[in-house]
Amino acid sequence: MSNTAVVQEDLSSRKAPVIPAQLVELNSAGFVWRELMVRLPTGFIADDLKEPSIWSLVQSSRNSLVRHDRLYIVAYDESWIAEAIVAESGRDYAVLSKPRITQLSDRYTNLFQTEDYRVIWTGTGYCVERKKDSRRMTTPVSSVAIAERELTSLYPRERA
């Protein structure tokens, strides 16, 4: 069996993650349509946007999608974004028009790290992770500067 066949088999058996309703936020609401931002869960790939059932949890929330809504969709690791319009929706599904995918460049600067800890992006903010076991040491915060300060506070201070 060739490598291509193995990859095809893995993708066909893969199930797209369902998007939790709390990851969808209203940006603006006009008289005709709304604009919403969607932060995707980890493990999500652009091809998953073709699956209408990924929106089942969103459709039972206050931000349920309706025809003509505009979506700004951000990958968990922020490596790509998609822009799409809702073409059709129902109680437990939504169909998107052809999403326009844009690849984002890698970070210009690396996030701060020490021998033991590193600052990471969590999809909703920055937090400190211990390197040896990838355990999160802090809760997500809105800026890199705050996360760096929290990282330095994990080290004991010497008394003068």
Side-chain angles (χ1 to χ4, degrees):
M1 186 183 267
S2 70
N3 285 344
T4 308
V6 171
V7 169
Q8 291 285 342
E9 187 177 302
D10 288 345
L11 287 177
S12 64
S13 64
R14 181 180 174 281
K15 185 148 173 71
V18 176
I19 299 170
Q22 65 267 24
L23 297 182
V24 177
E25 295 183 55
L26 179 66
N27 182 48
S28 68
F31 292 110
V32 181
W33 67 77
R34 298 174 306 158
E35 293 180 351
L36 299 118
M37 180 172 182
V38 181
R39 288 199 174 269
L40 297 173
T42 184
F44 210 93
I45 60 174
D47 203 44
D48 292 338
L49 294 173
K50 296 176 184 175
E51 179 60 46
S53 65
I54 62 173
W55 303 101
S56 61
L57 296 175
V58 174
Q59 291 304 89
S60 60
S61 74
R62 65 181 173 82
N63 279 331
S64 62
L65 306 176
V66 296
R67 189 175 179 103
H68 301 294
D69 280 351
R70 269 86 168 133
L71 303 180
Y72 182 81
I73 303 165
V74 181
Y76 178 81
D77 62 358
E78 294 191 342
S79 60
W80 58 272
I81 58 118
E83 295 172 279
I85 297 173
V86 177
E88 184 180 338
S89 65
R91 272 184 0 152
D92 58 353
Y93 72 93
V95 178
L96 304 183
S97 65
K98 295 179 183 177
R100 189 174 68 214
I101 309 294
T102 303
Q103 296 293 325
L104 299 177
S105 61
D106 291 337
R107 283 190 176 280
Y108 182 70
T109 58
N110 291 327
L111 295 175
F112 183 68
Q113 62 181 316
T114 63
E115 189 176 313
D116 302 316
Y117 304 102
R118 67 177 147 244
V119 173
I120 61 165
W121 170 252
T122 66
T124 57
Y126 298 92
C127 73
V128 178
E129 177 182 81
R130 188 168 44 208
K131 287 182 177 181
K132 71 178 179 182
D133 59 2
S134 298
R135 182 171 187 268
R136 286 189 187 173
M137 304 303 292
T138 62
T139 57
V141 294
S142 60
S143 76
V144 176
I146 296 170
E148 288 175 2
R149 187 175 39 207
E150 288 182 343
L151 186 151
T152 56
S153 70
L154 291 172
Y155 287 98
R157 295 184 186 235
E158 292 183 23
R159 296 186 185 222

